[in-house]
Amino acid sequence: MTPSAFPRRTFASLLAFAWLAAPLAASAADYPVKPIRFIVPYTPGGTTDLVARTVGQKVSEKLGQPVLIDNRGGAGGNIGMDAVAKAPADGYTIGFGAISTNALNPHIYKSMAFDPRKDFSAISLLGTSTIVLEVPAVSPIKSVADLVAAAKKQPGMPYATAGAGTSMNLAGVMFAQMTGTELTHVAYKGSGPGINDMLGNNIGLMFDNLPASLPHIQAGKLRALAVAGPRRSASLPNVPTMAEAGLAGYAIEPWFGVYGPAGMPAAVVQALNHAFNEALALPEVKDKLAQAGFSVRGSTAQELTALTQSEYQRLGEVARKAGMTAD
């Protein structure tokens, strides 16, 4: 090779690389140029569905492309989030992750198709919800104390949740541990079916995310006994926290966030992060979700990444201590 041949070949290689990279750079700069699929890993009618549709509409307006909600329930949210993890990392498929799918589930399911620490690009936190402990309005149980007394007389009392491995499932496990009672978990495929059985008095107890149950509580069809968070809900100011009801130290506050497949271009992550945070800051979004019992809270992508990692570790210890498992 002559002394001048190397520079010419190097220059040619650089030109070829630039030619190949140009479409990627352009696509990131022009993003989005087509509709965005927003996978909600739970059935319609629950908290995640409400938040995704409310915020997704505003994100669509910000980005100038439709945000299409795709409900894919099953396996405690794992089916939907697996679809996100395996989608092309181009920003046109994103998912509604949660404390369960991205921190708790890997510790309780026998097999997982994805690793939440490695297989996603964190985009933004969406906020936190409140878990409510509730019974049908016709139930003779009027308080947490009543429930504990009834559960001790009836070992194995069933309780409903939106699915195995959810934060509601964790809430039930912690309740049984702290009260010395034995409860039987009945996992539904989302809040809607569980609420329907509660309304039909087919099951007498449920731990649910408040946004899904709140309309029925306000209509007098369900009775809220307590909320699981560290403070009372502004939507139910007269309902005590679990701690106030006698379970000192009891507190669970589910969080939710937006994730894409691992390896998304930084510019695309940034565009989505800005759109979601701008949508979350809108007064009409804040007010609508607050009325449903959801506390809006955006974040940087880095903050959601850090939260996912720390919660993965924390909830792993909780799940092992509680002996939680799911099929």
Side-chain angles (χ1 to χ4, degrees), residues 31-38 60 63-69 90-94 272:
Y31 176 86
V33 296
K34 63 181 182 180
I36 298 167
R37 182 175 55 146
F38 193 5
S60 173
L63 294 177
Q65 289 290 341
V67 174
L68 308 176
I69 306 301
D90 54 10
Y92 291 101
T93 298
I94 57 178
L272 284 166

Side-chain angles (χ1 to χ4, degrees), residues 42 46-48 76 98-100 104-105 108 129-134 159-176 183 185-192 195 206-213 228 242 250 252-256 324:
Y42 303 101
T47 298
T48 51
I99 184 175
S100 52
L104 178 62
N105 285 4
I108 65 175
S129 185
T130 298
I131 295 175
V132 61
L133 170 59
E134 60 195 11
Y159 71 94
T161 74
T166 60
S167 53
M168 291 79 81
N169 182 188
L170 180 61
V173 168
M174 286 181 59
F175 182 89
L183 301 178
H185 183 216
V186 180
Y188 286 82
K189 293 183 178 180
S191 291
I195 290 173
M206 186 171 187
F207 288 86
D208 193 31
N209 270 321
L210 182 56
S213 286
M242 290 284 200
Y250 187 112
I252 300 177
E253 194 167 44
W255 51 264
F256 304 87
M324 291 182 66

Side-chain angles (χ1 to χ4, degrees), residues 44-55:
T47 298
T48 51
D49 192 56
L50 169 68
V51 177
R53 292 179 188 279
T54 301
V55 180

Side-chain angles (χ1 to χ4, degrees), residues 217-245:
I217 295 170
Q218 292 173 328
K221 297 178 180 179
L222 296 176
R223 178 184 302 127
L225 302 182
V227 293
R231 64 193 69 84
R232 292 193 182 199
S233 169
S235 302
L236 296 173
N238 296 323
V239 175
T241 64
M242 290 284 200
E244 290 174 330

